[in-house]
Amino acid sequence: MADLIAEIHALETRAAAAIATAANSEALQNTAQEFIGKKGALTNVMKQLGALTPEERGNVGKAANEFKAKLEALLAQKTSALQNERFAKLAETEFIDLSVTPSPYAAVNAVTPFGGHIHPIAQTQKKLEDIFTSMGFSIVDGPQVEDDYHNFGALNFTDDHPARDMQDTFYTKTGYLLRTHTSTVQIRALERMTPPLRIIAPGRVFRYEEVDASHEHTFYQMEGMIIDREVSVGNLLHLMQTLLTEIFGRAVDVRLRPGYFPFVEPGFELDMKCLVCDGKGCSVCKHSGWVEVLPCGLVHPNVLKAAGLDPQQWQGAAFGLGLNRLVMMQHGIEDIRHFMSGKLDFLRQF
Ligand code: FA5
């Protein structure tokens, strides 16, 4: 019996030393297993109890229980000492200075701070606005939810006009629609301004459109209109040329074709040579080498009349620039869907 009790005391000395030198909680757990675990040293000692008298068994059992209780107390003490040590180290290495103003982009990209910037379409819109205001144009706006009169009726689309189908329209349940073009603002400007006038109207338009590389359901146009005593096709084409040369910083290849819009007469389609494929043919230009960007024409007398102007006294020219496509030409963007994708990798290039 005395041997077994001595063995328990020896275990106690070894265990206490192991606990004192344990470097982390894993080492502590191993020590606990080694001495008081199911297959540990104490269990081995207890296996020898069978050879003892009941009294001796009681004495050895008492020594074993005391050993176990001491060890558990030492383990608990060391665990809390190790934890305190760890927290003290963390407080040094992971110190956060709450008085420093954080970067607004820290959460977006913690590795490389990234400053937000203006969307490429808005950048070009701003550039165009500067060009036009320097030529005496005012910037005007109109609602995106419109009525039939401003989107179609006043623009010389009669009720059963087949050209209404040219622009697939989103209608609301209450008889309104999402404007399909910025030409609505021609009418809104004529209602509240007196000629002579020069306006541009950049804005968002919507079409119930099958989306592909060059067609979006939601895109941007910039309307332009001049009303004066004498306005000619020559004035209009000069304006278009100025606009494109200023934006691209050089002369770009364009072609002019007759185009039909009920609100202009004559009407033109001004196409740009596709700069995504340099006219060779791609999905943006539908393999034609040309992209429709700038339809235009002289304001139809019926539009002037609807606005209460005498077509004998006043003439007008107007254009409806497709902003997304112009920006695609500027930067060689091969798919219109990138603009609204929200992809930062795309946006960061501009
Ligand atoms: C119009 O919207 C006329 N209001 C333009 C106009 C104004 C003509 C003034 C004459 C006088 P159109 O539907 O062709 O026309 O659209 C004009 C431009 O918007 C197109 O040349 C094209 O660049 C762009 N566009 C048209 N549909 C889409 C679309 N689904 N996605 C992206 N761009 C489009």
Side-chain angles (χ1 to χ4, degrees):
M1 174 196 81
D3 287 353
L4 289 184
I5 292 180
E7 212 176 306
I8 291 172
H9 285 154
L11 286 182
E12 197 177 309
T13 314
R14 271 174 49 214
I19 290 170
T21 54
N24 50 40
S25 63
E26 200 188 337
L28 275 186
Q29 271 168 15
N30 290 340
T31 307
Q33 286 304 320
E34 185 186 337
F35 291 95
I36 51 175
K38 261 190 199 159
K39 295 178 183 165
L42 186 62
T43 310
N44 283 338
V45 173
M46 301 305 268
K47 279 181 189 159
Q48 301 168 48
L49 287 186
L52 303 179
T53 64
E55 195 194 340
E56 287 171 335
R57 250 184 258 164
N59 288 336
V60 176
K62 193 171 160 242
N65 284 341
E66 281 170 6
F67 165 62
K68 210 172 163 190
K70 261 193 205 159
L71 214 65
E72 277 166 357
L74 284 177
L75 284 167
Q77 252 176 29
K78 183 70 180 184
T79 303
S80 102
L82 281 175
Q83 222 166 43
N84 289 342
E85 237 175 74
R86 198 167 72 86
F87 288 148
K89 265 193 204 142
L90 277 179
E92 261 177 46
T93 55
E94 306 210 353
F95 170 71
I96 298 170
D97 185 351
L98 295 177
S99 67
V100 173
T101 312
S103 152
Y105 308 110
V108 178
N109 191 336
V111 183
T112 324
F114 166 65
H117 63 78
I118 309 289
H119 191 279
I121 293 182
Q123 286 181 28
T124 298
Q125 177 183 322
K126 177 78 177 66
K127 214 166 154 185
L128 284 163
E129 286 173 1
D130 289 346
I131 295 168
F132 278 101
T133 47
S134 76
M135 295 193 287
F137 283 71
S138 332
I139 303 169
V140 294
D141 202 1
Q144 294 179 7
V145 179
E146 264 292 8
D147 50 34
D148 187 276
Y149 174 76
H150 288 91
N151 200 82
F152 292 122
L155 285 160
N156 199 30
F157 290 84
T158 49
D159 283 350
D160 53 355
H161 203 297
R164 280 174 181 254
D165 296 337
M166 280 161 57
Q167 300 177 359
D168 293 316
T169 310
F170 288 110
Y171 288 96
T172 72
K173 286 185 181 146
T174 48
Y176 290 91
L177 51 81
L178 298 186
R179 68 178 180 191
T180 57
H181 52 180
T182 44
S183 298
T184 51
V185 189
Q186 288 189 29
I187 305 306
R188 300 228 164 242
L190 286 170
E191 282 169 354
R192 61 174 194 257
M193 297 168 81
T194 42
L197 58 86
R198 291 163 173 240
I199 55 129
I200 52 164
R204 194 147 39 157
V205 301
F206 310 86
R207 291 190 195 175
Y208 185 54
E209 187 97 70
E210 198 159 326
V211 168
D212 62 24
S214 56
H215 292 84
E216 260 292 7
H217 49 75
T218 301
F219 57 100
Y220 292 82
Q221 290 187 340
M222 182 181 278
E223 197 77 5
M225 183 174 69
I226 300 177
I227 304 284
D228 216 320
R229 295 289 180 191
E230 273 183 42
V231 181
S232 68
V233 172
N235 296 141
L236 177 66
L237 297 184
H238 175 71
L239 198 64
M240 307 289 91
Q241 256 164 7
T242 312
L243 183 167
L244 293 174
T245 315
E246 288 275 341
I247 280 290
F248 287 90
R250 62 185 165 92
V252 286
D253 290 333
V254 294
R255 73 175 184 191
L256 197 66
R257 303 177 281 132
Y260 176 70
F261 302 92
F263 40 97
V264 287
E265 180 58 39
F268 305 99
E269 285 283 4
L270 194 142
D271 305 333
M272 272 190 68
K273 187 157 138 190
C274 182
L275 295 179
V276 173
C277 61
D278 201 25
K280 293 188 187 72
C282 66
S283 55
V284 173
C285 60
K286 302 270 171 303
H287 303 282
S288 70
W290 296 92
V291 181
E292 288 179 10
V293 283
L294 237 175
C296 53
L298 296 186
V299 178
H300 196 287
N302 287 351
V303 175
L304 295 172
K305 273 189 225 158
L309 297 178
D310 178 359
Q312 303 298 326
Q313 302 284 324
W314 296 102
Q315 293 180 328
F319 65 85
L321 172 68
L323 258 179
N324 298 50
R325 290 199 194 154
L326 183 80
V327 177
M328 290 170 82
M329 295 301 104
Q330 265 184 297
H331 300 295
I333 296 166
E334 84 299 348
D335 198 314
I336 198 168
R337 288 166 285 201
H338 289 315
F339 288 123
M340 293 204 300
S341 66
K343 284 186 201 145
L344 291 178
D345 283 351
F346 167 74
L347 294 171
R348 279 179 184 148
Q349 300 174 81
F350 306 99

